[in-house]
Amino acid sequence: MTENGRSPGSEPWHPEDPLYGDQGWGGQQAEAGQTPYGGQPQQQYPQQHGTQQQQYPQQYGTQQDPYQQQYGNQQDPYQQQYDEQQRQYDEQQRQYEEQQRRQYEQQQQQQYNQQQYNGGWDTGQYSAMPYGTAGADTYGGQQPGYGSPQEADYYATPEAYPPPQPPGRRQAEPEPAPTEWEAEAPQEETHPFFTGEDGGDDDGEDDNDPGESRRGGELRGKTKTKKKNRNGCACLVVSLVLAGGLGGVGYFGYQFWQGQFGAPEDYSGAGSGTAQVEIPKGAGLGEIGNILKEAGVVKSAGAFVSAANGNPKGKTIQDGVYLLKKEMSGVSAFEMMLNPISRDNLIIPEGKRNIWVYEQIDKRLKIKAGTTKKAAEANAKKLGLPAWADDNKDIKDPLEGFLFPASYPVAKGMKPEAVLQKMVARANQEFTKKDIQGQAAKLGLKSPLQVLTVASLVQAEGKYQHDFDKVSRVVYNRLKPNNAETVGRLEFDSTINYIKGDSKLDLGAVDELRKINDPYNTYDIKGLPPGPIANPGLAAVNSALHPAAGPWYYFVSITEDRTLFAVTNAEHERNRKKYEEEQEKQDQ
């Protein structure tokens, strides 16, 4: 056979001829940029090949080479195919330019950088000539093709449509751009942390390892199990950290819940030892609970509050000083405070004189006898007396009548001035409520202090409270200028006892009593004494402000339930005899 002719066998043409065997892509085609005959122009088969022409007169004769007849002056069919593909690509490119331009350019550029188009048929020889380089004209220079210097390469730019590949190297067509509703749909998670793949090259493996190849954007070859294992360990560590964090949050949350809604801490039992606490006036349960906790009585304020709220008498705790025990349960502490025995307050009874109050404060504070009396004399003007107090130079004690009868917290360690100040403050509070200052003139009195003096006399002379209103009327009747029975004198034994600091009932003859030279001696002076002779309670103050109506000038208490009132002295003497008879019966 000739070098470029046919062989006498059944297979026409050279195996590298495009028409050899399957004339389509079923056979091996020459790749772009290289001619099918080693770069030489395709030879024609004229009549000068006599031997061959005679041997195959019907096949050749005087005809042109069938290859030449097939193509003749027509454009290269491959060129037509490529032009059509180019037009399709241009149309497609215009439609999806806004959505796919950047992504498509990066994908095409990566494919061109990683792969080169190898020329030649499947003969084991590959050309390294890339697209865009000048190559031999496949068709003897008659038609400009790709690789021809006469025409720009259609595949040299990143935007170019990929050249056709042999069947063994064809790649999958790029997926069409997603529609608007597909683009808004949630995408599948592809992060290496969730997929188990490592995006980095941590283990030093080369991305260009021959054992791995990329086709259609998918990774083929060996799997990186080591990276997946490391990612698995990372997931485990992160899970443990998250679990530990949640556990910590849960613990502190439980502690907060316990503090807000759980059962409060509490001791058990009735406690032991002693603890003295002072509860201020107006203190709520929460404040009382905190005071008890600070004193070591209860373990938490909540324990006491819980016990008080669970008892119908929960809001009846009074102010004052209480003697309790250490480490008591909330219930035990609350029940003990309800018992009057536990209150360690200094209680000032109604009608007590200041001298008695001073002595009791000394005893409660465990200080030297007479200390409180000296403190009262030295600090009387600093203890909060009202402006209308101490308005007479003959007043024996300016605090008399202002140490209001009530219960006061007096605990060891307090100063006597502080105790007296509390009592005066309470008196001002109560007297202001009664409007003593405004009622004085209506009663025909010169000052509010005289109202308080009348109240002290009612408290001292009226043996029983149910008689206070009538006793008050006797005082006002005797103070009248037209009083013919006593001529303006009160003649109360209580004033003599105040002078002597005594509490006797039978003081002797009236003539002897009038000889006592003292501004508080109502047997001698007319009208009211200079100031109160005791500390009256609210009942006596009310009676002094609202005396009963009646003509009485005298009264005498025969028994506890019976007081006899009289208008004249003769009637009063008869009542006195009844009193003496009753006393004889009691003595027998």
Side-chain angles (χ1 to χ4, degrees):
M1 106 182 184
T2 62
E3 181 179 358
N4 292 320
R6 295 189 184 181
S7 68
S10 60
E11 290 289 332
W13 304 101
H14 192 277
E16 291 188 355
D17 193 313
L19 298 180
Y20 175 79
D22 187 359
Q23 296 182 9
W25 283 111
Q28 301 296 328
Q29 299 178 1
E31 299 188 10
Q34 187 174 18
T35 60
Y37 301 110
Q40 299 298 327
Q42 180 180 1
Q43 295 185 7
Q44 309 297 327
Y45 299 92
Q47 295 179 1
Q48 64 185 10
H49 295 282
T51 307
Q52 297 293 338
Q53 187 175 4
Q54 292 178 2
Q55 186 175 358
Y56 306 101
Q58 296 178 356
Q59 188 169 1
Y60 287 98
T62 60
Q63 297 179 3
Q64 263 188 331
D65 185 351
Y67 190 80
Q68 181 68 24
Q69 291 178 349
Q70 181 178 358
Y71 293 100
N73 294 327
Q74 298 178 2
Q75 191 178 9
D76 184 356
Y78 296 125
Q79 185 65 40
Q80 295 178 354
Q81 179 181 1
Y82 299 150
D83 290 343
E84 180 65 23
Q85 291 177 347
Q86 183 67 34
R87 286 192 297 272
Q88 294 176 0
Y89 170 76
D90 291 340
E91 181 66 21
Q92 182 182 8
Q93 184 69 13
R94 284 192 297 272
Q95 295 177 358
Y96 301 107
E97 181 177 1
E98 292 298 328
Q99 298 182 2
Q100 291 294 107
R101 182 177 181 82
R102 290 180 177 238
Q103 179 179 356
Y104 189 79
E105 288 177 359
Q106 293 176 2
Q107 179 180 2
Q108 293 302 319
Q109 186 64 38
Q110 183 179 5
Q111 290 179 358
Y112 276 96
N113 290 339
Q114 293 182 353
Q115 298 181 0
Q116 292 180 347
Y117 188 81
N118 297 325
W121 306 103
D122 193 9
T123 60
Q125 298 179 357
Y126 300 92
S127 172
M129 182 181 296
Y131 293 110
T133 60
D137 189 356
T138 308
Y139 305 106
Q142 296 178 4
Q143 294 294 334
Y146 41 89
S148 172
Q150 301 177 11
E151 184 175 340
D153 188 357
Y154 293 102
Y155 311 104
T157 61
E159 295 84 358
Y161 195 82
Q165 297 286 333
R169 299 191 180 184
R170 291 179 182 172
Q171 298 180 354
E173 291 293 336
E175 296 181 359
T179 62
E180 183 178 356
W181 69 270
E182 291 176 338
E184 296 178 355
Q187 301 296 322
E188 181 179 358
E189 184 58 64
T190 58
H191 194 279
F193 179 82
F194 299 96
T195 61
E197 297 179 358
D198 196 344
D201 230 1
D202 296 340
D203 57 357
E205 294 182 0
D206 190 357
D207 289 340
N208 297 324
D209 192 311
E212 299 180 2
S213 63
R214 295 185 179 272
R215 180 181 181 184
E218 297 180 356
L219 181 64
R220 295 190 304 168
K222 60 182 179 180
T223 58
K224 300 180 180 181
T225 57
K226 294 182 179 180
K227 297 181 181 179
K228 293 184 179 181
N229 290 338
R230 286 201 300 273
N231 286 332
C233 292
C235 291
L236 178 60
V237 172
V238 172
S239 300
L240 292 176
V241 172
L242 291 176
L246 292 175
V249 172
Y251 172 77
F252 288 109
Y254 174 77
Q255 293 295 325
F256 175 80
W257 184 90
Q258 282 288 95
Q260 296 294 325
F261 308 105
E265 295 181 331
D266 197 5
Y267 292 120
S268 60
S272 60
T274 57
Q276 187 181 60
V277 296
E278 179 182 352
I279 305 301
K281 185 177 182 180
L285 293 178
E287 185 178 356
I288 296 174
N290 288 326
I291 294 174
L292 297 180
K293 178 184 176 182
E294 292 177 0
V297 176
V298 296
K299 194 170 186 179
S300 67
F304 176 82
V305 173
S306 178
N309 287 333
N311 193 299
K313 298 181 180 180
K315 297 183 179 180
T316 61
I317 298 296
Q318 299 179 7
D319 60 303
V321 176
Y322 292 82
L323 285 177
L324 304 174
K325 298 181 180 180
K326 295 280 188 178
E327 299 185 357
M328 303 179 70
S329 68
V331 174
S332 298
F334 175 75
E335 292 178 351
M336 191 170 185
M337 293 182 74
L338 290 179
N339 190 342
I341 299 177
S342 66
R343 298 187 67 184
D344 197 30
N345 283 8
L346 173 59
I347 299 176
I348 306 300
E350 297 173 344
K352 291 295 183 179
R353 303 171 192 156
N354 279 7
I355 189 64
W356 182 89
V357 177
Y358 297 150
E359 292 175 352
Q360 297 301 314
I361 294 176
D362 288 342
K363 294 178 181 179
R364 182 59 59 90
L365 297 180
K366 297 182 179 180
I367 55 179
K368 184 178 180 180
T371 302
T372 302
K373 185 175 184 298
K374 292 180 180 179
E377 293 173 353
N379 300 284
K381 296 181 179 181
K382 301 177 182 179
L383 299 178
L385 290 172
W388 46 264
D390 195 17
D391 61 352
N392 192 314
K393 62 181 180 62
D394 293 329
I395 292 177
K396 295 183 180 295
D397 186 348
L399 296 181
E400 195 75 70
F402 291 94
L403 303 183
F404 191 81
S407 175
Y408 297 95
V410 180
K412 183 180 179 180
M414 295 179 64
K415 293 183 178 181
E417 299 93 322
V419 179
L420 295 174
Q421 190 173 20
K422 288 183 178 182
M423 296 177 178
V424 173
R426 178 68 180 275
N428 288 333
Q429 180 181 359
E430 299 296 338
F431 298 158
T432 300
K433 291 179 181 179
K434 299 298 182 180
D435 190 22
I436 291 179
Q437 190 171 2
Q439 296 294 325
K442 296 179 180 180
L443 296 170
L445 302 176
K446 297 179 181 180
S447 69
L449 184 63
Q450 286 191 336
V451 176
L452 190 58
T453 301
V454 172
S456 69
L457 294 173
V458 171
Q459 184 78 60
E461 292 291 331
K463 192 172 183 180
Y464 308 108
Q465 187 171 332
H466 55 269
D467 296 330
F468 281 177
D469 291 349
K470 289 182 177 182
V471 173
S472 178
R473 172 49 59 189
V474 170
V475 173
Y476 284 110
N477 287 342
R478 287 191 178 190
L479 292 177
K480 292 178 179 180
N482 58 355
N483 171 21
E485 291 293 329
T486 62
V487 193
R489 296 186 183 93
L490 293 178
E491 295 182 348
F492 285 167
D493 291 348
S494 57
T495 59
I496 301 298
N497 283 331
Y498 181 74
I499 294 172
K500 296 181 177 181
D502 203 349
S503 297
K504 294 181 179 180
L505 295 178
D506 188 3
L507 298 178
V510 174
D511 293 338
E512 294 295 327
L513 295 176
R514 289 176 178 168
K515 295 179 181 180
I516 300 174
N517 185 17
D518 192 283
Y520 281 81
N521 185 0
T522 57
Y523 280 94
D524 181 35
I525 66 171
K526 295 180 180 180
L528 293 170
I533 62 172
N535 293 288
L538 286 179
V541 173
N542 286 333
S543 295
L545 294 173
H546 307 285
W552 314 290
Y553 287 95
Y554 306 94
F555 63 90
V556 58
S557 295
I558 297 177
T559 63
E560 182 177 351
D561 298 328
R562 187 180 179 188
T563 301
L564 301 178
F565 290 87
V567 176
T568 62
N569 186 48
E571 183 182 3
H572 176 61
E573 288 298 326
R574 290 193 296 269
N575 291 337
R576 282 179 58 83
K577 290 181 179 180
K578 293 180 181 179
Y579 168 75
E580 292 174 354
E581 292 175 357
E582 188 65 29
Q583 291 295 319
E584 291 177 357
K585 291 180 181 179
Q586 293 180 358
D587 292 340
Q588 295 176 357

